[in-house]
Amino acid sequence: AALDGIHGGARGITVHLREDRRHIQDRDVFELKRAISVPLNLEMSIAEEIVSVALRLKPAKACLVPERRQELTTEGGLDVRREKRHVAHVIDRLQGRGVLVSVFIDPIPQQVHAAYDAGTDFIELHTGKYSNSKGLRRRRELNRLCAASVLAHSLELGVNAGHGLDYDNVKPIARLPYIEELNIGFAIVAESIFTGLREAARRMVSLMR
């Protein structure tokens, strides 16, 4: 599946190794890293069990996300302000192994500043509220994302984005200033039922461009 996505134009593969191992297993993550020709981005909580796996795996990138057992998928950004000391410690350990680190945050100026203070390389803006809204509310969310991206760039942080993006709503996010990477999963996998993963990825890449 990952190789088909890469052949369709994906420039990275993202997996989320959850504490409950609901999405992918440890062995699969290590095998995946060996098999792909593009950077592996490991979405992960800041729990010590998962940090230990990441330090052994040494993915190209790691994205720190919040995690609750009852959620279907990650809901909302990591509260870096509240957990800044812990987050900074995890970032430092990962960077010490040569891993580029991002933190998944809501587009809130205080969280951007906290991410900068924690020493991250990138932020990944949570686009869930944008994706779940329409009309004027969506425009407001897009403006918040734009302002957060500009602020992060002014602090010399890289800017990624993701969550809930699909074939209908991705273009305005791809046009935001300073966006370097979009992490999109569900929409591509759902589309692949009809087209196959290679074509689903190719179509998404085309829209982003």
Side-chain angles (χ1 to χ4, degrees):
L3 294 176
D4 259 1
I6 293 165
H7 288 312
R11 295 186 179 178
I13 297 295
T14 295
V15 294
H16 185 174
L17 184 66
R18 292 181 62 103
E19 290 179 72
D20 59 14
R21 305 307 198 270
R22 188 194 315 164
H23 294 332
I24 194 167
Q25 305 299 305
D26 301 41
R27 175 184 169 187
D28 299 324
V29 176
F30 283 88
E31 290 188 1
L32 184 63
K33 184 192 173 189
R34 287 192 290 270
I36 62 177
S37 58
V38 298
L40 177 66
N41 176 39
L42 183 69
E43 283 190 2
M44 54 180 284
S45 75
I46 56 176
E48 180 58 32
E49 175 193 2
I50 302 299
V51 173
S52 295
V53 175
L55 293 174
R56 288 190 287 113
L57 176 68
K58 292 190 288 186
K61 306 173 185 179
C63 182
L64 306 182
V65 303
E67 198 171 296
R68 294 187 301 112
R69 286 192 178 271
Q70 64 268 38
E71 67 190 356
L72 292 175
T73 185
T74 306
E75 299 172 356
L78 185 67
D79 190 347
V80 183
R81 289 182 70 196
R82 183 167 61 87
E83 301 191 73
K84 187 159 61 176
R85 182 175 296 181
H86 188 183
V87 170
H89 181 57
V90 172
I91 290 172
D92 184 62
R93 293 168 70 193
L94 289 168
Q95 290 172 335
R97 299 289 279 172
V99 180
L100 284 173
V101 183
S102 64
V103 289
F104 185 66
I105 59 172
D106 293 318
I108 299 170
Q110 295 89 333
Q111 294 292 353
V112 177
H113 282 289
Y116 170 78
D117 291 340
T120 192
D121 301 296
F122 285 80
I123 61 167
E124 180 167 332
L125 293 171
H126 177 232
T127 54
K129 286 188 177 180
Y130 161 84
S131 300
N132 291 328
S133 60
K134 298 185 183 301
L136 187 58
R137 186 181 170 203
R138 174 170 285 189
R139 173 56 55 182
R140 285 198 297 266
E141 291 300 328
L142 190 63
N143 289 339
R144 292 176 69 220
L145 290 161
C146 182
S149 182
V150 170
L151 173 58
H153 180 76
S154 74
L155 296 171
E156 300 185 347
L157 296 174
V159 185
N160 303 329
H163 199 80
L165 298 177
D166 59 32
Y167 295 88
D168 296 320
N169 65 24
V170 70
K171 283 185 177 181
I173 299 299
R175 282 195 290 258
L176 287 175
Y178 310 118
I179 290 288
E180 297 186 37
E181 176 180 294
L182 299 181
N183 287 299
I184 303 170
F186 181 82
I188 293 173
V189 173
E191 180 70 8
S192 75
I193 294 171
F194 304 100
T195 68
L197 266 169
R198 189 175 304 197
E199 176 59 22
R202 187 208 63 76
R203 184 177 164 215
M204 183 62 78
V205 170
S206 177
L207 288 170
M208 289 164 60
R209 287 175 174 160

